[in-house]
Amino acid sequence: ETGVTQTPRHLVMGMTNKKSLKCEQHLGHNAMYWYKQSAKKPLELMFVYSLEERVENNSVPSRFSPECPNSSHLFLHLHTLQPEDSALYLCASSQDFFGEQYFGPGTRLTVT
Amino acid sequence: SQQGEEDPQALSIQEGENATMNCSYKTSINNLQWYRQNSGRGLVHLILIRSNEREKHSGRLRVTLDTSKKSSSLLITASRAADTASYFCATEPGGGNKLTFGTGTQLKVEL
């Protein structure tokens, strides 16, 4: 148990659906991250929030929309996804910007 | 291009043996981190080594950093079946503001 929880753990959605991934950290950290992990590819950083303010957006398509309402919660809103968006989506938090990161268990997303 | 690359891509050893994984990177760094990931789960932080450090220990783990060669190694001594996982290095470049992961080494420890 790392202190970072993610829901749901598994999600299957059609290309026309809208869904949201939720992440919560109980560590009092200042920074939160969304990563995408696809088979045979390095972990891809998608979004970074520091003190609830977005500081990094690595050219992620607009069909992914993050939201950070407070320092403990992070959402990833999904709409009109493509099959190639199927992957493991990982949330992480850290006390220091890009310091030691604590990861949640991930959401396994399948787009049909 | 990706910053950290692990070598080998896969490693299979017997329980009790030592496992060594290497990571090479391209640009100057502030720190280098090693993470472990069990199948389909989140990553677990193992060790962070700063650019001015050469070696660090944590239990059965030993990490070395050679900034002149832009490389790091992770040694797991007296491996156990529970060490079976993927191991990733991640680098924070000198300019900061990013943490880049490699594709990982898949370690299998057999009984």
Side-chain angles (χ1 to χ4, degrees):
Chain A
E1 191 61 51
T2 62
V4 180
T5 58
Q6 288 186 244
T7 54
R9 294 293 309 278
H10 299 272
L11 178 62
V12 179
M13 59 186 288
M15 291 192 287
T16 58
N17 291 159
K18 286 186 181 181
K19 296 286 184 183
S20 295
L21 310 184
K22 179 182 175 182
C23 175
E24 184 173 358
Q25 58 103 352
H26 311 274
L27 302 167
H29 287 168
N30 294 320
M32 296 187 76
Y33 314 79
W34 278 117
Y35 288 91
K36 175 184 177 183
Q37 187 176 37
S38 305
K40 307 294 184 188
K41 293 175 71 174
L43 209 61
E44 299 173 53
L45 178 64
M46 300 176 72
F47 299 102
V48 182
Y49 278 82
S50 178
L51 297 172
E52 303 154 43
E53 193 172 314
R54 190 195 302 182
V55 295
E56 185 85 18
N57 174 359
N58 283 334
S59 303
V60 178
S62 59
R63 57 186 184 269
F64 295 92
S65 174
E67 179 190 359
C68 187
N70 56 60
S71 60
S72 299
H73 294 86
L74 186 64
F75 294 89
L76 188 62
H77 304 299
L78 317 170
H79 65 97
T80 58
L81 295 191
Q82 305 297 312
E84 60 264 29
D85 297 322
S86 298
L88 183 67
Y89 288 84
L90 293 162
C91 172
S93 70
S94 65
Q95 179 59 35
D96 301 317
F97 204 40
F98 289 111
E100 175 183 341
Q101 300 198 2
Y102 291 74
F103 283 80
T107 295
R108 173 68 63 186
L109 174 67
T110 304
V111 181
T112 60
Chain B
S1 61
Q2 73 191 50
Q3 171 73 323
E5 291 191 22
E6 293 90 345
D7 169 61
Q9 290 188 345
L11 180 62
S12 184
I13 60 174
Q14 297 294 310
E15 200 172 47
E17 294 180 338
N18 295 343
T20 300
M21 289 158 268
N22 303 295
C23 171
S24 59
Y25 55 93
K26 294 182 171 64
T27 64
S28 63
I29 59 171
N30 286 335
N31 70 65
L32 185 145
Q33 304 177 38
W34 284 93
Y35 289 81
R36 183 188 76 231
Q37 183 180 32
N38 291 87
S39 180
R41 303 297 302 274
L43 280 70
V44 175
H45 184 268
L46 297 176
I47 289 184
L48 181 153
I49 187 165
R50 300 193 187 283
S51 60
N52 60 353
E53 297 176 306
R54 291 296 166 259
E55 188 170 312
K56 217 162 179 181
H57 297 253
S58 176
R60 293 183 297 111
L61 306 181
R62 182 172 80 103
V63 167
T64 61
L65 178 64
D66 186 336
T67 52
S68 67
K69 295 181 180 177
K70 291 187 171 57
S71 68
S72 173
S73 68
L74 169 67
L75 168 68
I76 304 174
T77 59
S79 64
R80 305 167 182 167
D83 295 327
T84 295
S86 293
Y87 292 81
F88 297 87
C89 68
T91 51
E92 185 193 359
N97 224 33
K98 206 173 183 67
L99 190 66
T100 306
F101 287 79
T103 50
T105 292
Q106 289 188 359
L107 173 66
K108 184 174 182 181
V109 181
E110 300 185 79
L111 295 169

